[in-house]
Amino acid sequence: MAETLTIGKALNTGLRRAMERDPKVLVMGEDVGKLGGVFRITDGLQKDFGDERVIDTPLAESGIIGTAVGLAIRGYRPVCEIQFDGFVYPAYDQIVSQVAKMHYRSKGKVRLPIVIRIPFGGGIGAVEHHSESPEAYFAHTAGLKVVSCSNPDDAYWMIQQSIESDDPIVFMEPKRRYWEKGQVNVDAASAPLHVSRIARPGTDATLLAYGPMVRTALDAATAAAEDGRDLEVIDLRTLSPLDMGPVYESVRRTGRAIVVHEAPGNLGLGSEIAARITEECFYSLEAPVLRVTGFDTPYPAARVEEEYLPDLDRVLDAVDRSFGF
């Protein structure tokens, strides 16, 4: 059965299903209970499950993650909300030093099934520290898995799949897309958690994106079709581990690849993806792998964020440059 939901409502419904299924699932974070979160993703959960399972924490991200480590060791499955992307850094030590390493350090005896939800990216006109893209920090860290949804169906299923996983997962949510609607199949998941998918088939070039930039890439493909170019769009979905099989298959067909993400280009996910494509598809490439990214500056004031964020024109310009080789 399909329902029309926003990404935000799909996440809320997915969290609810996970909590109904397993009494060991806890939700914790700043304002997640009575308020329902600043984006209302946890709206109504404390009312229905109580304040022992939906926990309003102090304003202390390191404490949130540290507490989650102890809970996970005791058999719980905590889902931690980091209110905004730029607030995660006080918890960074806990995440990379404890959450990422405990399973390896204990020789497999200890698992930490923790989900760390992070609304990320810009486009909402927010103030400083509210519009960052820190995904590369976590994708670089061995022992963590990192995923990002881009549509309501993936939001609904991926949050449940992440909670069910015995591995710690950083769950990146595209905050500017929370209100976009789409069909959700509430009976069967469309894909496993750690696989990429073709969001739009095409033959002339491959656009690679994740999270908030998938919509931008799809819009660029629609615009390019008016010029007679048939662009394939791949939604990566999983950032660590990267699922590159569909990417290689696509690039070998199209001969061109453009990676799009909001984070700065220097050492971003696009660098790793470009390197892997070049290694595996060198003789199929008709042009270098190009990147369309945020600039290598701190995120700017909201009044000029549209100058910073990759948009349709910048993506189409990269497509033109690719065909210029």
Side-chain angles (χ1 to χ4, degrees):
M1 181 178 69
E3 298 182 16
T4 300
L5 300 174
T6 64
I7 288 180
K9 184 62 176 178
L11 288 165
N12 177 278
T13 306
L15 286 167
R16 181 178 295 277
R17 296 289 180 270
M19 297 184 75
E20 290 171 344
R21 191 179 303 117
D22 186 350
K24 293 292 187 179
V25 176
L26 308 177
V27 172
M28 55 194 297
E30 298 157 14
D31 298 319
V32 299
K34 186 176 180 180
L35 181 65
V38 293
F39 294 105
R40 304 300 185 266
I41 304 303
T42 54
D43 188 40
L45 296 182
Q46 189 180 75
K47 177 175 68 70
D48 293 338
F49 294 98
D51 58 11
E52 292 186 351
R53 292 189 64 194
V54 182
I55 304 163
D56 281 315
T57 67
L59 199 161
E61 286 78 13
S62 180
I64 294 170
I65 303 302
T67 301
V69 171
L71 286 165
I73 289 174
R74 296 291 292 174
Y76 291 92
R77 291 181 176 270
V79 181
C80 303
E81 177 179 302
I82 303 298
Q83 200 169 75
F84 283 91
D85 35 44
F87 300 171
V88 74
Y89 304 115
Y92 187 74
D93 183 22
Q94 292 280 9
I95 295 171
V96 302
S97 299
Q98 306 299 330
V99 176
K101 294 179 172 61
M102 189 67 73
H103 183 65
Y104 188 85
R105 193 163 61 211
S106 67
K107 297 183 179 180
K109 294 178 181 178
V110 177
R111 289 189 176 274
L112 297 183
I114 300 170
V115 176
I116 302 168
R117 295 180 41 242
I118 305 177
F120 82 120
I124 64 168
V127 295
E128 190 178 21
H129 306 310
H130 289 66
S131 302
E132 300 183 20
S133 298
E135 60 270 20
Y137 296 125
F138 303 111
H140 177 74
T141 302
L144 295 177
K145 293 184 175 179
V146 185
V147 300
S148 183
C149 58
S150 69
N151 60 77
D153 194 62
D154 272 352
Y156 175 77
W157 285 108
M158 289 172 71
I159 191 64
Q160 295 180 73
Q161 292 164 337
S162 296
I163 293 169
E164 291 170 358
S165 172
D166 285 333
D167 296 314
I169 293 179
V170 178
F171 195 96
M172 311 297 294
E173 301 173 3
K175 70 168 82 77
R176 73 157 123 162
R177 308 297 186 191
Y178 273 146
W179 300 274
E180 294 189 2
K181 295 181 179 180
Q183 291 292 299
V184 176
N185 184 344
V186 297
D187 296 322
S190 56
L193 183 59
H194 295 295
V195 300
S196 52
R197 70 178 181 92
I198 296 176
R200 174 179 174 137
T203 59
D204 296 340
T206 303
L207 296 182
L208 305 164
Y210 55 87
M213 285 290 102
V214 173
R215 170 54 53 196
T216 303
L218 288 169
D219 290 343
T222 298
E226 298 177 3
D227 296 328
R229 288 175 176 164
D230 188 15
L231 306 184
E232 181 150 291
V233 177
I234 293 183
D235 181 353
L236 292 169
R237 300 177 76 250
T238 178
L239 311 183
S240 181
L242 285 164
D243 177 31
M244 296 296 291
V247 175
Y248 297 150
E249 181 181 347
S250 176
V251 174
R252 289 184 182 119
R253 284 189 289 102
T254 67
R256 304 176 191 277
I258 297 101
V259 190
V260 187
H261 60 66
E262 286 190 23
N266 184 45
L267 300 179
L269 263 293
S271 303
E272 177 66 22
I273 293 166
R276 293 198 194 185
I277 291 173
T278 303
E279 289 173 357
E280 296 293 329
C281 305
F282 182 79
Y283 291 107
S284 300
L285 287 170
E286 301 290 339
V289 181
L290 301 180
R291 292 172 291 162
V292 183
T293 72
F295 297 108
D296 293 324
T297 69
Y299 197 87
R303 289 183 179 179
V304 294
E305 69 177 352
E306 295 306 321
E307 302 299 324
Y308 176 92
L309 294 169
D311 60 10
L312 184 145
D313 288 337
R314 286 179 60 193
V315 176
L316 291 178
D317 177 67
V319 173
D320 288 340
R321 286 190 286 124
S322 180
F323 279 92
F325 283 93

